[in-house]
Amino acid sequence: MSYALDDATLSRLCAKALSAHASENRFVALALATHDPLADVARTVERIVFEESFGLDEAAMLAEYTPYEEQSYFFLVLDRETGLPAGAARAIEGGGKTLDDAPDLIGVPLSKIVDAHGMHDGGKIWDYATLAVLPRYRADRNGLTVSSMLYRMFINAGHRWDVRHVVCMLDSAAFRNLDMLGVRFVAMAGSAPFEYLGSPANRALYIPFKEIARSMGDQAELLSQPEVPDANGRRRPGARRITQRLAAQVSSGDGLDPHIDMPGFERRRNRRP
């Protein structure tokens, strides 16, 4: 397990994966089990982004996430043009880091959090633990494509595993992006934002899994209607069209699913939770 692959190893693993997943699309998305060699590519992307954004170096990532490695699934987007990764995300089965850390951070016992959101029904809980898009992709629309593929992979994988509940802790930027796409999280047990792992305004959040795609679809439908000017009479048709398209794609998989593969899930499809 590594959060700091060297450049040669990173390039070799990505080249092998891209050759095994032929596609004319620039970006290829793979959902991976924790022991897949490509999972270390995803871990390295996590560390690069988290170190830049929050100061979490390799040692910090190992300390924070090693207890959850066996319960982790990774989502990795590769760029065919560069032969390198573009972004990565992680889900942790069982509520993971969020349900371990949130009670102390928001001052609410775990039992009350579970009761508040109906998570005592025995349904599978996933922690949407990380989302990381490398800096070079954030300056243009490619970053939106990468993050959209990561969101869609989470939805596809969650359907495959019959996930019922999703918890997460999001910094302000990640929360804003998902809210813009229509994902209607609720604050965990009514909590307020708090400082966490270098983020000054983190939120502990909950959403029923089935509501993620549905709420994005509702947002896409809403944004397809004629725009009403804001209080200053301004319209933003370009931004509105982009958001509508992304919400529609992520909710339906149109234009994304053909470029998503789940090698870490296929061989375990029939295994009972």
Side-chain angles (χ1 to χ4, degrees):
M1 184 181 70
S2 175
Y3 283 88
L5 292 179
D6 61 78
D7 291 345
T9 303
L10 197 71
S11 296
R12 176 177 55 79
L13 288 170
C14 291
K16 183 178 179 180
L18 287 167
S19 66
H21 299 277
S23 167
E24 295 181 359
N25 200 54
R26 174 176 176 179
F27 296 105
V28 173
L30 303 172
L32 308 162
T34 189
H35 295 296
D36 191 303
L38 283 168
D40 280 349
V41 177
R43 291 183 182 97
T44 298
V45 172
E46 284 181 333
R47 191 267 310 162
I48 291 171
V49 172
F50 281 35
E51 186 166 13
E52 177 210 46
S53 300
F54 309 117
L56 301 181
D57 59 12
E58 181 182 7
M61 295 297 289
L62 284 166
E64 293 294 332
Y65 290 99
T66 295
Y68 306 100
E69 293 297 345
E70 291 300 319
Q71 293 79 43
S72 290
Y73 301 104
F74 291 91
F75 310 110
L76 177 66
V77 176
L78 301 177
D79 183 348
R80 197 173 297 281
E81 286 190 8
T82 65
L84 294 170
R90 179 197 302 234
I92 302 174
E93 189 166 342
K97 192 166 177 55
T98 291
L99 291 187
D100 281 348
D101 291 359
D104 287 343
L105 292 164
I106 66 175
V108 179
L110 179 59
S111 60
K112 290 189 177 181
I113 292 171
V114 169
D115 287 343
H117 301 292
M119 291 188 285
H120 43 50
D121 60 4
K124 189 182 291 294
I125 304 169
W126 269 12
D127 177 7
Y128 198 9
T130 67
L131 178 74
V133 177
L134 287 170
R136 71 175 72 97
Y137 296 96
R138 297 184 209 148
D140 56 33
R141 294 182 183 179
N142 287 321
L144 298 175
T145 300
V146 173
S147 58
S148 295
M149 295 184 86
L150 293 171
Y151 299 147
R152 182 62 190 177
M153 268 194 289
F154 181 87
I155 291 172
N156 288 354
H159 278 304
R160 177 69 55 85
W161 280 104
D162 298 321
V163 173
R164 190 171 298 175
H165 306 283
V166 174
V167 296
C168 58
M169 289 194 284
L170 298 179
D171 66 22
S172 57
F175 175 80
R176 183 175 61 250
N177 290 340
L178 283 164
D179 185 66
M180 177 184 68
L181 292 175
V183 183
R184 300 305 179 220
F185 292 107
V186 296
M188 189 174 289
S191 58
F194 50 86
E195 185 176 354
Y196 179 68
L197 293 181
S199 170
N202 228 70
R203 290 172 169 86
L205 303 165
Y206 169 82
I207 189 170
F209 175 78
K210 65 181 181 181
E211 292 297 312
I212 297 175
R214 188 198 63 76
S215 62
M216 283 187 174
D218 289 348
Q219 180 78 335
E221 177 64 25
L222 177 65
L223 293 176
S224 70
Q225 305 303 313
E227 184 178 9
V228 177
D230 65 17
N232 297 313
R234 294 173 299 191
R235 300 175 187 263
R236 299 183 63 201
R240 186 182 180 92
R241 283 195 299 270
I242 292 170
T243 304
Q244 190 275 334
R245 176 177 59 83
L246 292 174
Q249 281 189 309
V250 176
S251 64
S252 68
D254 291 346
L256 298 178
D257 282 353
H259 313 296
I260 293 173
D261 197 2
M262 299 202 289
F265 290 70
E266 294 296 337
R267 62 182 176 272
R268 303 170 64 184
R269 177 182 293 184
N270 296 320
R271 190 175 119 185
R272 295 291 181 185

